[in-house]
Amino acid sequence: MYAAIVFLPLIGCLIAGLFRKQIGARAAMFVTTGLLFVSAGLSIITFAQVAWGGVETQIVLLPWFSIGDFQASWTIRVDMLTAVMLVVVTSVSSLVHLYSIGYMEEDPDQARFFSYLSLFTFAMLMLVTADDLLQLFFGWEGVGLASYLLIGFWYKKPSANAAAIKAFVTNRVGDFGFALGVMATFAVFGTIEFDAIFSAIANDAAVTPLWSEQSSAVSETSISFLGMEFAALELIGFLLFIGAMGKSAQFFLHVWLPDAMEGPTPVSALIHAATMVTAGVFLVCRMWQVYDAAPYASMLVTIIGAVTALYAATVGVAQNDIKRVVAYSTCSQLGYMFFAAGVGAYGAAMFHLFTHAFFKALLFLGSGAVIHGLHHEQDMRLMGGVRSKMPWTWAMMIIGTLALTGVGLPMGAGLGYGFSGFFSKDTIIEAAYFAGEAGNEVGMFAFWMGVIAAFLTSFYSWRLIFMTFHGRYRGPSEVLAHAHDAPWVMRAPLVILSIGALFAGAAFFSSFVGDRSEAFWRGSVPAAHASAEGHGAADAYLEQADNTHAEDMQHETDASAAAPTVTAEEAEDEHSAGGAAAPHAVEADHHAEAADDHGGGHHPPEWVRWTPFGVTIAGFLIAVWAYLLNEGLGARIAARGGPLHAFLYNKWYFDQLYNATLVRGARGLGDLFWKGGDQKIIDGLGPNGVAAAAAFAGRRQSKSQTGYLYHYAFVMLLGVAAFASWVLFTASNSGAPS
């Protein structure tokens, strides 16, 4: 069954890609889509078996290669982390396949498109089922290749080709760091298998690095890199995170993500919701033992994630392309996941990845339905007032927006009520607050970045809704006349995803981050883990609070044992008089209630719990004021320009900065080596130089070939005279006296 989950998409890819002329585009679409739905069904069964049946296994498919101590096999690893990703990847991918049947109905290359989609899914499944870093790297590169093919699917568009190349090159930067991380891991541990690495870290085992003959504990092993000494686990964590930054479009390596919108909209939904961009989060959570033992690498993860969450949210408020707004939303939400992992809340990071897959796929496919209904228009400035033309799409987009913005009420001491994003996003924000309270230097920074990003997310999300569906229509009248809602083949995936956006958070809260999390994860990520360094700070704070409460209760118990016995009448008198016994009883009840909620967890202050709700409402109200009550205000602000609007509209000028430095610098260096080194020196003095000399000599020699007989006779006479002179000279020298 596990092999079928992984390889059915590959079979569909091969059938659609190799036999599309024989079976036709329609058959190719239904074969790939059907196989994906079978894979999704098997993934749900696997999830149930692992979550509630405790079935975890490793299946060796076949050996890959063995070079000395370096050994690798094709292996399917099935644990809870894998099972979660299997459900996310296959369910979203199958719905994207189904949606694409309607969206790509007019495209002449449907079979090729579906082949690429299935290839992308297969590569991601190979990544999440990997049992070692090499197989993970294989899937990692596979999704990079498939993303290049899908982003540049409409290869006749120059912008699509440029976007595909940009994504490919940017990811190569991150992948170089990932490859170095894999090499460093093998150099330190002598293996790339996850279980062996995790066991060595957990036991602080003695390892013998390749460059040394002496063994040392893992925690004490260091690596020389770029002329500096680094703790081995810190460097490994840093290098692996460089790969995660590229794949998950984090700050500095984020520039490819918005341009990926040049591909068809189903591609955007697949890349952004469930596959490629979540690979980096999965990597950090899979390698949590490394990051838990590397506080500085984890601090970097936290900072980059928090900055990315804020950066992408600020840029999203000024974009006009409907797909780019949702793309920057993805970038921002990935930042939440990373800073959750950075403070040790790995379960919260995976929980947000899980819920995000539903509402982000819903928003992308909903945006595609708008584009499809408006004859491929993507500029929100040319939309407006289409709610009556697209009631189903409007309703689905509203649900996705409510989930993305995390609308919900944290009622009392319980879970509260809200959409899926409320449960996962607020859990991350609270985890960052706990991290700061527990002494993590960057936890409070991440908390405030998350709060500000939540405000901006609410504003630009409702800005999208209001500019697209409400107010007056601003585009060509003939487009509005033919505007229509999505057909059912596209509408059905939206309805299914909306169910996940509505209920996935509440349904799985206890399993991912609540009282059942320890039994749910079973060690694949920590349910309640804290290190002595203050890492895993959210759980450290919980543990510290619980220990404090336990100590207080023990002191109170000891004091009660030493105190004189109090009769019932005396206790009643003291209680009625406001004596000391009552406050202790109230405090004990308070601790008991706090221990009961969330499986013994500790709640943050009320202002922390209500702040995300407050900023979400504030963002919504400002969007209402700017785009409904004062329609056209945003357009007037944009028309006036100004440095702030220009800064945000131009995405903090990252593209211009990279173009002026890295792109032009790389092109200039390439021209120097190509035109100066290769053409002028190597070719000029080498093959081209020799060829030029021979051609020059040939041209000179050809001038002597006139075709006149007397010229040749003259040359012959000169030759005879020269030969006779040489003979006479030789004879005279040989006969001279010595």
Side-chain angles (χ1 to χ4, degrees), residues 1-6 8 39 41-43 45-47 49 59 76:
M1 179 175 71
Y2 305 126
I5 294 173
V6 176
L8 283 178
S39 183
L42 296 176
S43 296
I45 295 173
T46 299
F47 180 87
Q49 290 179 342
I59 303 172
I76 296 177

Side-chain angles (χ1 to χ4, degrees), residues 80-98:
M80 200 62 243
L81 188 61
T82 299
V84 169
M85 293 302 297
L86 288 178
V87 169
V88 169
V89 172
T90 57
S91 60
V92 173
S93 181
S94 59
L95 293 175
V96 168
H97 275 71
L98 178 62

Side-chain angles (χ1 to χ4, degrees), residues 17-40:
L18 299 178
F19 303 104
R20 62 181 184 271
K21 293 183 179 179
Q22 288 78 8
I23 64 176
R26 194 162 187 81
M29 290 190 293
F30 283 106
V31 166
T32 53
T33 304
L35 291 176
L36 249 299
F37 271 96
V38 173
S39 183

Side-chain angles (χ1 to χ4, degrees), residues 83-348:
V84 169
M85 293 302 297
L86 288 178
V87 169
V88 169
V89 172
T90 57
S91 60
V92 173
S93 181
S94 59
L95 293 175
V96 168
H97 275 71
L98 178 62
Y99 178 94
S100 299
I101 293 175
Y103 191 86
M104 302 294 289
E105 62 182 350
E106 299 177 359
D107 196 282
D109 294 316
Q110 295 166 322
R112 178 167 64 91
F113 179 77
F114 277 79
S115 177
Y116 289 171
L117 283 183
S118 293
L119 175 64
F120 197 111
T121 306
F122 163 72
M124 190 66 190
L125 292 173
M126 288 297 295
L127 189 157
V128 301
T129 58
D131 192 43
D132 60 42
L133 283 170
L134 188 62
Q135 183 178 328
L136 194 151
F137 188 70
F138 170 82
W140 194 271
E141 293 301 299
V143 294
L145 168 64
S147 69
Y148 171 80
L149 296 174
L150 286 168
I151 294 170
F153 177 76
W154 288 321
Y155 58 87
K156 294 182 180 179
K157 291 174 56 180
S159 58
N161 283 326
I165 294 172
K166 187 176 184 179
F168 194 79
V169 171
T170 305
N171 274 274
R172 296 290 71 73
V173 176
D175 293 352
F176 179 67
F178 187 17
L180 290 178
V182 176
M183 297 174 196
T185 302
F186 179 75
V188 172
F189 294 96
T191 181
I192 55 172
E193 295 181 359
F194 292 141
D195 286 342
I197 296 169
F198 301 157
S199 176
I201 296 173
N203 298 317
D204 200 16
V207 294
T208 305
L210 292 182
W211 63 86
S212 174
E213 297 181 356
Q214 293 183 333
S215 298
S216 60
V218 173
S219 60
E220 299 175 358
T221 304
S222 61
I223 299 177
S224 295
F225 185 70
L226 299 177
M228 296 177 285
E229 286 287 327
F230 296 93
L233 292 178
E234 296 283 5
L235 183 60
I236 290 171
F238 168 75
L239 292 173
L240 293 179
F241 181 59
I242 295 299
M245 286 175 62
K247 200 65 69 182
S248 295
Q250 292 300 283
F251 197 66
F252 295 122
L253 295 180
H254 64 278
V255 291
W256 67 269
L257 191 66
D259 292 346
M261 299 302 99
E262 290 293 337
T265 299
V267 173
S268 305
L270 190 59
I271 290 178
H272 288 241
T275 52
M276 181 170 172
V277 296
T278 62
V281 179
F282 171 80
L283 172 64
V284 173
C285 290
R286 172 62 80 193
M287 303 297 291
W288 72 266
Q289 288 93 335
V290 172
Y291 290 97
D292 207 63
Y296 293 106
S298 297
M299 188 181 299
L300 176 66
V301 174
T302 306
I303 294 172
I304 293 296
V307 172
T308 303
L310 179 65
Y311 160 77
T314 61
V315 175
V317 303
Q319 301 306 304
N320 297 312
D321 186 303
I322 187 172
K323 288 171 61 178
R324 285 180 181 266
V325 174
V326 184
Y328 277 108
S329 166
T330 298
C331 193
S332 182
Q333 297 305 305
L334 289 167
Y336 277 98
M337 300 175 205
F338 274 109
F339 78 68
V343 300
Y346 304 99

